[in-house]
Amino acid sequence: MSQAADNPAASLRALPSVDRVLAEPALAAALERYRRDLVVDAVRDDLATAREAAAGGGSVPSSDGVARAVAARLEERAGAWPTPVINATGVILHTNLGRAPLSEAASRAVAASAEGYADLEMDLESGGRGSRHAAIADLLRQLIGAEAGITLNNNAGAMLLGLAAVASGREVVVSRGEASEIGGGFRIPDVLAQSGARLVEVGTVNRTYAHDYERAVTPETGALLVVHRSNFQVVGFTHEAGLGEVAAVARTHGIPLLHDLGSGALLDTAAYGLTHETTPQESLAAGASLVFFSGDKLLGGPQAGIVVGSAALVDRLAAHPLARALRADKLTLAALHATLLHYVRGEAAEALPVWRMIGVSADELAARAGALASLIGKRASVQPGTSALGGGSLPGDELETRLVVLDAKDVPGGAEELTRRLRTGEPPIVARIEDGRVLLDPRTVPPGRDAELAVAVSRALG
Ligand SMILES: *Cc1c(COP(=O)(O)O)cnc(C)c1O
């Protein structure tokens, strides 16, 4: 081998053949479990990588080594995905972790509708065609007092459809301070362009008045658009026209006012010590023609884009070809229906995980952080800190919490390595790093999992 290592040509000759690797006992189980051609492809891939490495003077792996690596990779790939994780970041609507966890009833509704057939688009009474939107629209009418409603795949899609159906080929007037990027490359000007509408920006980044909208209205205007600032704040010398004032301009000219609300809080955030978030009810009352919001932000349900408002406009959305491309599936609709029922029953604050996490008391968080720290031992301590709503909801608002601080001094690689161990452990735990320290926020950890969390953290600390 030493001769091979010095001599790339000899290294390449020493590379095991595909058949030799396939004959290794380490691959026997994989060959029984997975399709043979997929295993062969995986072996070829690994050998190709090894060949490149050997040509560059790298060492040559044994056929057993390749077989083991391939078996491990196939095993990893065949595992269930997405992997459930414990969110210890304290960010309640963590987009990378799937935003709002569903309530128990909503999860059960998903499972029940997934297992078999359902009356998604059938009226069981008549046996005729039903609407997949009707049941949810009914709840939205009750809860929000909206004339009509429709559910799409997500709020970005709902916006795209709304703009296309209402204002394609015409101008849409937006405040310059709101023609922003909402996150993940989702930019209002780009969505407008895709919808076929033309963006007309008015006002300045920090100050926009009702008369700015008024002056921008022409015979070409298809809609006025107000976008809730979900993920940034404008502070200092600012002015924003009130929704009611913009609605008055829209009404005077007989053009629709579209309001992208983002979060869709149906409960009053101010009751939890947060800034008051405009509710869809308030937006409609102020004169919005259509209100757009997400299902998986403060509503606490599945990913969805909900549009409520004027029946004539909702009908236009429903009849547009994009509605089909953006429609929500039965799993989403089942989860959303169950989520909305919690509001109808007046039990949302207790039944929905998002609102339970927002509302958990300081005393409870302190008790849980203390108990966690004592379970973990002397490398854990407790300190006051803050949790965030996340997911583009109330960006400046924080909730007081108690954090468990982990001492990573004895972990080679420090805080980064400790968080990697936590993420790759069993169960995976996502923690926060601040000033080189690893922090766990009990707010976003389901209380029933504290003991399990403590065990996994102790293991990661080594
Ligand atoms: C989050 C957000 C969106 C995008 O909603 P998705 O449901 O994630 O597609 C659009 N507009 C605003 C104001 C938002 O906050």
Side-chain angles (χ1 to χ4, degrees):
M1 271 303 160
S2 68
Q3 184 200 356
D6 300 337
N7 178 343
S11 290
L12 290 176
R13 276 194 301 278
L15 210 63
S17 69
V18 174
D19 285 339
R20 172 121 179 261
V21 176
L22 288 170
E24 287 292 341
L27 267 182
L31 280 165
E32 258 175 48
R33 212 168 306 158
Y34 309 116
R35 258 168 46 189
R36 185 180 172 83
D37 59 323
L38 297 183
V39 180
V40 172
D41 284 350
V43 170
R44 286 214 175 98
D45 281 352
D46 271 34
L47 287 175
T49 309
R51 189 171 300 117
E52 262 175 45
S59 63
V60 173
S62 68
S63 64
D64 174 61
V66 176
R68 279 175 198 280
V70 168
R73 204 169 70 230
L74 288 170
E75 206 55 51
E76 198 182 326
R77 243 191 240 160
W81 183 90
T83 314
V85 306
I86 292 183
N87 173 11
T89 64
V91 179
I92 296 173
L93 298 168
H94 199 302
T95 299
N96 298 356
L97 300 181
R99 288 202 188 145
L102 296 180
S103 71
E104 277 174 41
S107 307
R108 279 199 305 273
V110 172
S113 73
E115 274 163 12
Y117 300 101
D119 62 344
L120 187 66
E121 289 191 355
M122 181 182 278
D123 174 28
L124 293 179
E125 185 66 36
S126 68
R129 176 88 190 253
S131 155
R132 70 173 58 215
H133 298 296
I136 287 168
D138 203 40
L139 295 182
L140 292 170
R141 270 192 295 272
Q142 276 184 61
L143 285 168
I144 298 174
E147 242 177 67
I150 183 170
T151 305
L152 289 312
N153 180 61
N154 62 357
N155 192 25
M159 289 277 299
L160 177 65
L161 171 61
L163 289 164
V166 173
S168 183
R170 309 188 66 191
E171 292 175 350
V172 172
V173 181
V174 189
S175 161
R176 208 172 293 278
E178 295 171 1
S180 62
E181 173 165 326
I182 282 157
F186 176 67
R187 292 183 168 172
I188 293 296
D190 296 340
V191 179
L192 260 155
Q194 289 297 323
S195 75
R198 295 191 301 280
L199 172 65
V200 176
E201 289 185 40
V202 296
T204 61
V205 286
N206 58 333
R207 294 174 82 90
T208 301
Y209 299 87
H211 60 73
D212 291 320
Y213 290 90
E214 179 70 52
R215 280 186 208 137
V217 173
T218 72
E220 284 295 291
T221 308
L224 306 186
L225 171 64
V226 171
V227 182
H228 182 66
R229 286 201 192 101
S230 296
N231 59 356
F232 68 107
Q233 288 173 302
V234 181
V235 294
F237 184 60
T238 65
H239 180 85
E240 211 179 309
L243 192 64
E245 296 175 80
V246 185
V249 175
R251 213 169 22 244
T252 306
H253 296 276
I255 45 182
L257 168 61
L258 311 183
H259 188 195
D260 176 12
L261 202 48
S263 213
L266 297 188
L267 299 182
D268 181 9
T269 46
Y272 294 82
L274 297 163
T275 306
H276 176 70
E277 179 89 347
T278 305
T279 63
Q281 302 87 298
E282 288 163 349
S283 170
L284 288 175
S289 317
L290 289 178
V291 184
F292 300 75
F293 53 96
S294 293
D296 55 354
K297 290 183 179 173
L298 286 174
L299 190 75
Q303 178 191 301
I306 300 164
V307 189
V308 294
S310 134
L313 290 177
V314 168
D315 284 349
R316 258 162 84 181
L317 267 61
H320 192 278
L322 268 179
R324 175 59 184 263
L326 295 166
R327 78 180 183 185
D329 78 314
K330 67 173 179 178
L331 306 186
T332 299
L333 296 173
L336 183 60
H337 190 267
T339 301
L340 292 173
L341 277 182
H342 291 307
Y343 290 95
V344 172
R345 297 189 188 119
E347 63 189 22
E350 301 81 41
L352 292 169
V354 165
W355 287 99
R356 277 206 306 264
M357 290 188 269
I358 291 172
V360 61
S361 74
D363 285 350
E364 189 180 330
L365 289 167
R368 285 179 58 201
L372 273 170
S374 54
L375 280 171
I376 295 164
K378 61 181 192 311
R379 285 194 277 172
S381 57
V382 176
Q383 69 162 52
T386 55
S387 320
L389 285 177
S393 300
L394 296 172
D397 278 31
E398 285 173 332
L399 294 153
E400 305 258 320
T401 191
R402 285 302 155 98
L403 301 167
V404 176
V405 186
L406 301 177
D407 178 0
K409 271 199 290 295
D410 295 338
V411 177
E416 289 291 341
E417 170 60 13
L418 179 55
T419 52
R420 191 195 64 79
R421 285 188 194 170
L422 289 169
R423 285 193 308 272
T424 55
E426 185 49 48
I429 297 162
V430 183
R432 207 194 311 169
I433 299 183
E434 242 171 59
D435 304 326
R437 292 170 324 154
V438 175
L439 308 175
L440 306 171
D441 187 340
R443 184 186 296 276
T444 49
V445 177
R449 303 196 69 183
D450 283 357
E452 198 187 339
L453 174 77
V455 171
V457 170
S458 301
R459 209 181 300 130
L461 281 164

